[in-house]
Amino acid sequence: MINVRIEEKPEFTVSGTKVWISGQDNELFGRFWQECNENGTTDTLKKASTDPMENVTQSRIMGISRVEEDPDNRAFDFYIASESENVEGFEVFQIKAGKWAIFTGDGKDAMALIRAEMEAFMNWLPNSDYIHDFRPELEVYPETEDVYVEFWLPIKEKE
């Protein structure tokens, strides 16, 4: 079962590396994660992360889909990043403060994230009092025992 909660979060800083996602090819995400795991990028970002119990996402690593210019355009820069500032060799940017619908994945595999995203876009968002806000979407890997992945959908109330 996929659970959702609404939370207001402050602005936070991330450092990361990116790849261009040119459409709905979900395999590109997996290949990029694999590459970053193999070449040490993921470990470097995790080590540079602020303490997960004190940061906004409670994680050491996350995926960031930079869709804030146009959430309907599914071609965008995808980052593997951590909450950290000025990590040498990595791009640094701000995730703006705002409201998030946070969907907790229902498993410990890559499909848990996809199921959470599908729930967000196909069922929850169209039937909610919210629309997609112009901020990035996040895949977050909390440092907790009971949660493997969360999908953070930036939202704002319908006018």
Side-chain angles (χ1 to χ4, degrees):
M1 179 175 184
I2 297 171
N3 296 311
V4 63
R5 67 188 188 276
I6 307 296
E7 292 188 15
E8 192 81 27
K9 298 288 188 178
E11 181 175 272
F12 59 99
T13 303
V14 297
S15 298
T17 186
K18 68 182 174 184
V19 67
W20 177 253
I21 302 294
S22 59
Q24 293 291 345
D25 182 0
N26 285 331
E27 291 181 16
L28 288 172
F29 295 98
R31 286 194 303 269
F32 187 52
W33 275 106
Q34 182 176 356
E35 175 187 320
C36 288
N37 287 335
E38 290 173 358
N39 69 20
T41 297
T42 304
D43 286 337
T44 299
L45 288 166
K46 283 180 177 181
K47 288 176 186 168
S49 174
T50 55
D51 182 345
M53 296 306 115
E54 295 178 13
N55 69 27
V56 174
T57 62
Q58 294 190 329
S59 70
R60 290 196 186 280
I61 198 77
M62 71 188 81
I64 303 173
S65 298
R66 299 290 308 264
V67 297
E68 62 266 32
E69 295 296 320
D70 181 2
D72 292 328
N73 181 357
R74 299 319 287 180
F76 51 84
D77 284 324
F78 176 76
Y79 286 78
I80 293 177
S82 66
E83 282 188 59
S84 51
E85 297 182 23
N86 272 340
V87 181
E88 189 173 333
F90 293 94
E91 189 173 331
V92 178
F93 58 96
Q94 302 293 315
I95 303 292
K96 293 180 183 175
K99 196 173 284 191
W100 302 86
I102 301 172
F103 297 82
T104 302
D106 62 349
K108 292 195 174 213
D109 60 7
M111 290 305 296
L113 175 64
I114 293 169
R115 287 190 298 271
E117 288 183 44
M118 296 298 285
E119 175 65 22
F121 287 114
M122 309 251 337
N123 297 321
W124 187 84
L125 191 60
N127 296 304
S128 74
D129 293 329
Y130 299 97
I131 58 173
H132 196 298
D133 194 5
F134 289 86
R135 291 179 287 129
E137 297 165 6
L138 309 178
E139 64 183 72
V140 175
Y141 299 91
E143 295 272 316
T144 61
E145 296 280 327
D146 58 337
V147 176
Y148 175 70
V149 63
E150 294 176 335
F151 173 64
W152 289 33
L153 178 66
I155 56 173
K156 63 182 179 180
E157 293 181 11
K158 291 178 182 174
E159 296 180 9

